[in-house]
Amino acid sequence: MSHFTRFRQLPQETEATATEDLPPESSPENLPDHSPDHTPEDTPDGAVEAEAEYADTDTDTGTGPADGWRHRHPAAARAVAWTTTALAGALVLVTLLLPNDPARLTPVEFARIPVEGIAGAALLLLLPRTARRMAAVLAGAGLGLLTLLDLLDIGFAEVLGRGFNVVFDWALLGDGASFLQDSIGRAGTIGVEIAAVLLVLALLVLPALAVLRLSNLMARHGARATGTTLVVGTAWVVSSALGVQIAGAPVASRSTSDLVQARVDGVNATLKDERTFAKEAAGDPYHHTPGSRLLTGLRGKDVIFTFIESYGRSAVQDPLMAPGVDAVLAKGTKRLRAAGYSARSGWLTSATYGGSSWLGHSTFLSGLWIDNQQRYRTVTAGDHLTLTSAFKRTGSWRTVGIMPGVTKSWPEGKFYGLDHVYDSRELGYKGPKFSWSTMPDQYSLSAFERLEHGKPHDKPLMSEIILTSSHNPWAPLPKTIGWDKVGDGSVYNSIEKAGKDPVDVWQQTDKVRTEYGKSIQYSLNSLVSYVEKYGNKNTVLVFLGDHQPVAKVSGDHASRDVPVAIVAHDPDVLKRISDWGWTPGLNPGHKAPVWRMDAFRNRFLSAYGSHPGPAPSR
């Protein structure tokens, strides 16, 4: 029989294998019980014990371990045994101490004593063999699952500025895969997905095997394991009582149990929040306000609500990115003033960060704080009044949406009160994608002019436009061209080919931040240029960012503030918000008011219409 075959036929009971090097008279039935209740004397040579754990017998020939490689190479066998045991212990320690906050990923975090490990060791020492093995496997798999959730927390914190919600964030993993495909291609995405699957399997299997191995070792050497557990437990109690710390981290750790409790509390809070939010969404003060009393101060105006992807406070105040963006805003203010427009700007605190743009859109338009997917589902399934549906309720506007980021059916269009939604399939674009963005912002605005704004219509337009060119990974980027050259978008083929590779850009943080700043400059230039060329005396533009960019760009401690501005040709439009304290121009000042994004709807409806409530009785 080959060495490979003998290796695969390892004994099923680790305790039994420890007897194979004993003389014939020491047969298993004559040996004392090795269970935790009856512990053998510790052998003087730990290496022999480790070797015994791995001894194998050729069950086909009946020959003993003399035919095995471990008997022929005892030094190598001892090295393998000790190394495997050390790796198992290290793996269990890492899974017990791994933080879910990227800021805490330091060596100090792994130099602590986990109380869960002490309690687990004590329990395994007390259990009989079969129960012990089952408990070891389940405990290891549980540690692997908790580690997976910790890694998801770290990833979500880096991208979205928050932890992973185990109730409703699983769907976002599919969005992440779609983003990867747009960024690195299908082949690269498949590779990442395969690696992710292998990682998940490893996290579920390897910790289980590690805990099982350590539990078998403790069972064979019960007296030594019991003493070690008591010593380590005492050290934990003393460290906890005295508040001993290493570089600010407590030596006595209970991070795993704390994280488990936090996750249980999070699930309960999520379920409770769902019920509470449903009542809040149903209690809209504008629910019964008739259309005749809504938006009376904007009658006859073409109102455009525009969201600029990832346009946050960092773009206009960060030392690296702000100079270019601020110059575009300053120049844009002058260009609009020359065309007869005025502007006021302020700050809004977004309900989301780094991604999940639809949460920012729905918060701004609904006047409700929508910071998770469940809230989004709840509000869009109801009839809560949004800014856009308020225009529809009046009957005085045609309402349309320009949604280049929507690539399939979008039933939420009815909730937002849009008469028609132009998604990426209806905008007539024949050019290339720019990474995630299906088309350049200038093309989206050109299509809006061609399909709606530039056509004769018997009602003014209320439009919601989503500009996506500033969506990460910010490479390659489009360039501003003459409006008469936009055409069907095929002109962008050469621009896209000459652009930068996102993989190259993301290798250095400064490159990412620089390209992000350029993308915001492009979006702002496109919007200002559109108003210059196609706006008129009845144009009212409200534009804002949906959220801050990811932490790689905005930093670990960035706020969630985004700029917002209102541009109008008619001075009476801005006169109605004169008490808001906003900064003149497109760039909000440092001292401009900061409101939560959900506060905007009511302020806007109040400024340009009546206060909420039913029509007065006659």
Side-chain angles (χ1 to χ4, degrees), residues 4-15:
F4 177 73
T5 303
R6 286 196 296 272
F7 180 75
R8 293 183 60 202
Q9 294 176 342
L10 290 176
Q12 296 299 309
E13 298 296 332
T14 306
E15 291 86 343

Side-chain angles (χ1 to χ4, degrees), residues 206-444:
L206 293 182
L209 295 177
V211 176
L212 180 60
R213 180 181 184 83
L214 296 176
S215 70
N216 288 336
L217 190 65
M218 289 190 300
R220 285 199 311 278
H221 314 298
R224 186 180 300 175
T226 300
T228 301
T229 302
L230 288 174
V231 169
V232 176
T234 301
W236 187 94
V237 171
V238 172
S239 298
S240 178
L242 298 179
V244 180
Q245 295 185 346
I246 300 178
V251 171
S253 166
R254 48 177 173 233
S255 57
T256 299
S257 53
D258 288 345
L259 285 174
V260 171
Q261 184 62 52
R263 294 195 189 283
V264 172
D265 293 343
V267 171
N268 291 333
T270 297
L271 298 177
K272 181 179 179 181
D273 177 74
E274 182 179 354
R275 297 188 293 269
T276 302
F277 180 73
K279 295 179 180 179
E280 181 183 350
D284 184 4
Y286 279 97
H287 183 73
H288 298 291
T289 303
S292 60
R293 295 176 56 198
L294 291 171
L295 303 164
T296 53
L298 292 174
R299 298 298 167 95
K301 307 296 183 185
D302 288 328
V303 182
I304 306 172
F305 292 100
T306 302
F307 292 94
I308 298 178
E309 171 66 36
S310 299
Y311 177 38
R313 183 186 280 265
S314 298
V316 297
Q317 292 187 352
D318 183 271
L320 178 64
M321 300 171 292
V325 175
D326 288 351
V328 169
L329 291 171
K331 187 176 180 179
T333 299
K334 292 179 180 179
R335 290 162 58 187
L336 291 174
R337 186 181 299 122
Y341 294 90
S342 298
R344 295 290 184 274
S345 55
W347 302 104
L348 299 176
T349 301
S350 178
T352 185
Y353 169 92
S356 301
S357 300
W358 58 93
L359 302 182
H361 301 169
S362 54
T363 295
F364 177 80
L365 295 173
S366 71
L368 296 169
W369 191 252
I370 304 175
D371 59 351
N372 62 55
Q373 191 64 16
Q374 185 57 50
R375 285 188 165 214
Y376 179 78
R377 294 194 189 105
T378 299
V379 71
T380 55
D383 58 354
H384 191 88
L385 186 72
T386 65
L387 283 178
T388 46
S389 61
F391 281 86
K392 183 177 179 63
R393 181 181 290 185
T394 67
S396 300
W397 278 271
R398 171 170 167 76
T399 58
V400 299
I402 304 297
M403 309 288 179
V406 175
T407 58
K408 54 187 177 181
S409 177
W410 191 58
E412 290 93 326
K414 294 182 179 179
F415 165 73
Y416 287 114
L418 300 175
D419 293 323
H420 189 82
V421 173
Y422 295 91
D423 62 25
S424 61
R425 301 164 297 180
E426 295 185 66
L427 293 172
Y429 184 62
K430 303 300 182 184
K433 291 181 66 176
F434 283 79
S435 189
W436 185 90
S437 182
T438 58
M439 62 194 69
D441 292 344
Q442 190 177 8
Y443 179 87
S444 298

